[in-house]
Amino acid sequence: MRLVQSFAFAAVLLLLSSALSAAAHSAREDIEAALVKFMDAFNSGNAAAVGQMYTDDAALLPPDGKRVDDRKGVEEFWQGAIKAGMKNLTLKALEVEGSGNLAYEVGAFTLGVPSKGGALSTVAGKYLVVWKKGDDGTWRLHRDIWNLGAAE
C-alpha cells in the first residue's frame, strides 16, 4: 500500500511539473512571437501597431528620458523614434520567466540610429519588459525599460 501511495504522489508531482513547464514554455513561445510582430511593426513604420502591443496602462522608462504612460503616449513615443529615422530593430529574448498572467523578459536589441550626417549607425543594448496577459489570452508589454551597452 505504501508503495502505491508513493507512486501516486510521484505521478502527481510529475504531472504538476509538466504542467508548469508547459505554461512557462508557452509564455516564452508567445512572447518570442510577439517580438517578431513588434519588430515587423516598428521596422515598417507602423507606430499604431507597436502601440497596440502594450497594455492600456503601460509605461515606458526610456534611458535619460521621462516616463511615458498609457498606450497613446507609448504610440507617440515610438512614432517619434520612427520619424527620427530609427530602423532595423532586432530583439532577442535571453530570459523569459512567467507565472499566471505576468511574465518578465530580459533581452538584447540592436537598432539603426541616424547620425547628424544622415548615416545610419547601429547601437546595441539590453532591456527588461514586464508582460501582462490579457483576458483575451494576448501577452502585451506592460512595463518597458532599456539602455545601451552589451547585454552579455
Side-chain angles (χ1 to χ4, degrees), residues 29-43 53 89 91-92 131:
E29 287 177 345
D30 291 348
I31 287 169
E32 286 178 339
L35 293 179
V36 171
K37 286 176 57 178
F38 191 106
M39 289 183 288
D40 288 347
F42 182 88
N43 291 328
M53 297 192 67
L89 175 67
L91 301 167
K92 180 180 179 187
W131 293 83

Side-chain angles (χ1 to χ4, degrees), residues 4 7 11 35-36 57 62 71 74 83-84 103 108 122 130 132 135 138:
V4 171
F7 178 73
L35 293 179
V36 171
D57 58 344
R71 186 179 282 161
V74 167
K83 282 185 177 180
T122 300
V130 175
K132 193 171 188 180
D135 293 338
T138 302

Side-chain angles (χ1 to χ4, degrees), residues 27 30-31 34 52-58 71 97-105 129-144:
D30 291 348
I31 287 169
Q52 288 302 311
M53 297 192 67
Y54 286 82
T55 60
D56 289 335
D57 58 344
R71 186 179 282 161
E97 295 286 334
S99 180
N101 70 339
L102 292 175
Y104 74 84
E105 173 205 1
V129 172
V130 175
W131 293 83
K132 193 171 188 180
K133 191 174 190 177
D135 293 338
D136 64 355
T138 302
W139 286 99
R140 289 189 166 75
L141 294 92
H142 185 58
R143 298 292 184 263
D144 189 0

Side-chain angles (χ1 to χ4, degrees), residues 3-27:
L3 181 61
V4 171
Q5 288 175 331
S6 295
F7 178 73
F9 182 71
V12 168
L13 285 179
L14 182 62
L15 288 172
L16 181 59
S17 173
S18 295
L20 291 174
S21 177
H25 185 68
S26 175

